[in-house]
Structure formats: C-alpha cells, structure tokens
Amino acid sequence: MPFSRIIGTGGYLPERVLTNTDIENLVDTTDSWIIARSGIRERRIVAEDEFTCDLAEKASRKAIQAAGKRPSDIDLIIVATSTPDVVFPSTACLLQERLGIIGPPAFDVQAVCAGFLFAIDVADKFIRTQSAKCALVVGAETFSRILDWSDRRTCVLFGDGAGAVILESSDEPGILSTHLHSDGRFKDLLCVPTGVSRNYQKLQDGGAYVTMEGGEVFRWAVTAMSDIVQETLDANSMTLDQIDWLVPHQANSRIISAIGKRLGLPVNKVVMTVEKHGNTSAASVPLALDEAVRDHRVKPGNFVLIEGFGGGFTWGSAMIKM
Ligand code: UT7
C-alpha cells in the first residue's frame, strides 16, 4: 500500500492587518490584556469583497507551485472550512472551478479548528487506497464574518487566512499515522448557535456569531492536545525526543505553552505563529506548517507532529515524515 507525502505547502493571509490597538477602539479591552491572555498581537482580516475561496485559491496556487505540479495533476480536492462562501456548492467545488480542474472529487469537511486534520486524514486514506494520486488539501477561513465585534471574549482571538498542502502517492513515508476524535457532548461550549436549518430567522435578523466558554475550552484543549501527542507517539513506537517539530493549532500561546510543559517538550521544537495570525481555525495548522517550511525550520526528513482542536469538540493529529 503506498504512502501519502507532503510535496508542497502554501499559505495566504489577507492584506489588512488588525492590531490589538485597533480593537481597543471597538470593545473594552487592551493590547496588554490580549497579549497576556492569548499571545496575539495582530490578525489579518479580509476585504469586503474577499471570501474564503479567494484565500483558498491563493494558498492552493502557492502549494501547487511549491510542489512543482500543475492544477491538472490534482485528482482530489478537500477544503476544511466552517466559513464556506455559500451554503452550497462546497468551497472545494468553487475552488476546483477557479483552478480549472474538471472531474475529480472535490468536497468540504467541517470540523472547525481541527478541520485540517480531518481533511488530511481523509486525503491520506484516498491515496493509500489508491483512489487518488495527488491531493490538494486546504484549510481556509473567514472567521471575521462570524464574530460578534462587540463581544470582547471572542472578537480579539480570531483572524482570517488559508493554508494548503499537496499530498502525493509515494513508496516512501510520508504520513505515518493520523488520529481523529470527536465528543459532541461539548457542542455548546464553542459554537455558532445559528444556522440554516435551525434558528434561520435569527440568522436573517442578526447574523451568526461564535460563542465560547473560554476557560472550559482552554482546559479541554490543553488536555486533548497533550493526550493526542502521546497517542500519536505510541502508534508509531516513537518517543518525544524523536520529533523535530510540533505544529499545534494556533489558538492561544498559553495553550501551546501548557501543552509543551505537560509533555516536557522544549519551546524550540514548537512552531508558534498565533502572535501574528490570531486563531485562523482550520487554516491555522497548514499556515503554521507553511511558514516553518518556507523559513527552513522544517527540513526534508524531519518528523513533524501536527495537531488541532476545535468546536464539537473535535481533535486530531498526524505524524509526518517531511
Ligand atoms: O480554537 C479552539 C478555540 N478557542 C480556544 O482554544 C480559546 C480557549 N480559551 C482561551 O484562549 C482563553 O480562555 C481566553 C483568551 C478566551 C480568556 O482567557 P482567560 O484567562 O481564560 O480569561 P477569563 O475568561 O477567565 O476572563 C478573565 C477576565 C473576565 O473578567 P472577570 O469576570 O474576571 O471580571 C473577562 O470578562 O477577563 C475578562 N475579559 C477581558 N478583558 C479584557 C474577557 N475578554 C477580555 C478582553 N479584554 N478581550
């Protein structure tokens, strides 16, 4: 059975920078509170006429170029997003049309901030079972559109962006293992309680916004993302010192530090981008991975453990040999 390998990464952030000082003008908060409680200094926000698919397209083109491929080489497209352009068609289908790829399957997966891990898992299985040879896997979000900009508990935390990888079939590993979990009992702790089938009138009247019990989510995120690192190591009969890089979901620098401390992983093995991006949900892990690949922290042959945690709750990881 072949493996899937990451052969190219790409990322895109919208041009507009929103600093903590800018947010001080919107809600009762301070730059120092946001930095102290989350580590975030700034985030990117889409322009009025910019949508999730626009970000996905830019990140995808960079990943395709980095992989030395053409769009016509791609035979599977998966987009992880909770902020699709429209209810349907899927953002993956919109992206497929933009890239001029006709025929192969294109679909979205929705697992909020863990979405990219779910998408990687599915793409890896397509490739391993020889249903696809070259997959485009994207995490893309415009969370700024589902934030209540008068709620200081949430609006300071999120940003917009997209990250993408190209996975190719290979005799060499590759993605060594993937691990996914969900627990719907916690559905109310982090959610957008308005939708198409439920509370549609509310959606028409006032919009759909993220609500979060921050403290509870924080505790679960640290526990779940620490435990899944151990699960991933055990599945590969590896120890922590064999990992070159941990690329965790970028929600809060304190969550990332707490995971590192719990595991005993030195900070110089952890990729951290939350300071400049905020929490970009499904885009956070591929954006962080792309940044670390492009600045040569992550090198060919490195063992990289990626992991995410999000609403649902959902969480997942992958052990990757780059
Ligand atoms: O992608 C996965 C989803 N998200 C996450 O993983 C985020 C998880 N949670 C967190 O990152 C943190 O819980 C937060 C950053 C959201 C909050 O940090 P905290 O240390 O847990 O603060 P807190 O919720 O305990 O709030 C402390 C105080 C409260 O005031 P009182 O009740 O103690 O008087 C809040 O009202 O800070 C207040 N507060 C703020 N103050 C200034 C909450 N938000 C703000 C704000 N500016 N933006």
Coordinates of all heavy atoms in Angstrom, one line a residue, residues 83 85 98 101 196 203 208 231 239 273 305 308 318:
T83 N -16.4 28.3 7.4 CA -16.9 29.6 6.9 C -17.0 29.5 5.4 O -16.2 30.3 4.7 CB -16.1 30.8 7.4 OG1 -14.7 30.4 7.2 CG2 -16.3 31.1 8.9
D85 N -18.0 30.0 1.4 CA -18.5 31.1 0.7 C -20.1 31.2 0.8 O -20.7 32.2 1.1 CB -18.1 31.1 -0.7 CG -16.7 31.5 -0.9 OD1 -15.8 31.2 0.0 OD2 -16.4 32.2 -2.0
R98 N -12.2 27.5 -10.0 CA -11.2 28.5 -10.2 C -9.8 28.0 -10.7 O -9.2 28.7 -11.5 CB -10.8 29.1 -8.8 CG -11.9 29.8 -8.1 CD -12.0 31.3 -8.5 NE -13.0 31.9 -7.7 CZ -12.8 32.6 -6.5 NH1 -11.5 32.7 -6.1 NH2 -13.7 33.1 -5.8
I101 N -9.8 22.6 -12.7 CA -9.7 21.2 -12.6 C -11.1 20.6 -12.8 O -12.0 20.9 -12.1 CB -9.2 20.8 -11.2 CG1 -7.8 21.5 -10.9 CG2 -9.1 19.3 -11.0 CD1 -7.4 21.5 -9.5
V196 N -28.8 27.3 9.1 CA -29.8 27.3 8.0 C -31.0 26.6 8.4 O -32.2 27.0 8.3 CB -29.2 26.7 6.8 CG1 -30.2 26.7 5.6 CG2 -28.0 27.5 6.3
L203 N -30.7 34.1 12.0 CA -29.7 34.4 11.0 C -30.1 35.6 10.2 O -29.3 36.5 9.9 CB -29.5 33.1 10.2 CG -28.4 33.1 9.1 CD1 -27.0 33.2 9.8 CD2 -28.5 31.9 8.2
A208 N -24.9 35.3 12.4 CA -24.5 34.1 13.1 C -23.1 34.4 13.7 O -22.2 34.7 13.0 CB -24.4 33.0 12.1
E231 N -0.7 9.7 22.2 CA -1.4 8.6 21.3 C -0.6 8.5 20.0 O -0.4 7.3 19.5 CB -2.8 9.1 21.1 CG -3.6 8.1 20.2 CD -5.0 8.7 19.9 OE1 -5.5 9.5 20.7 OE2 -5.6 8.2 18.9
T239 N 9.4 8.2 20.6 CA 9.4 9.0 21.9 C 9.5 10.4 21.5 O 9.8 10.8 20.4 CB 10.6 8.6 22.7 OG1 11.8 8.6 21.9 CG2 10.5 7.2 23.3
T273 N 2.8 30.6 15.6 CA 2.5 31.8 14.7 C 1.3 32.6 15.2 O 1.0 33.6 14.6 CB 2.2 31.2 13.3 OG1 1.0 30.3 13.4 CG2 3.3 30.5 12.6
L305 N 4.9 16.6 14.0 CA 3.6 16.1 14.5 C 2.7 17.4 14.4 O 3.0 18.4 15.0 CB 3.8 15.6 16.0 CG 2.7 14.8 16.5 CD1 3.2 14.0 17.7 CD2 1.4 15.5 16.9
G308 N -4.7 19.5 16.0 CA -5.7 20.6 16.1 C -6.8 20.2 17.1 O -7.0 19.0 17.4
A318 N -1.5 14.2 13.2 CA -0.9 13.4 12.2 C 0.6 13.4 12.4 O 1.2 14.4 12.8 CB -1.1 13.9 10.8

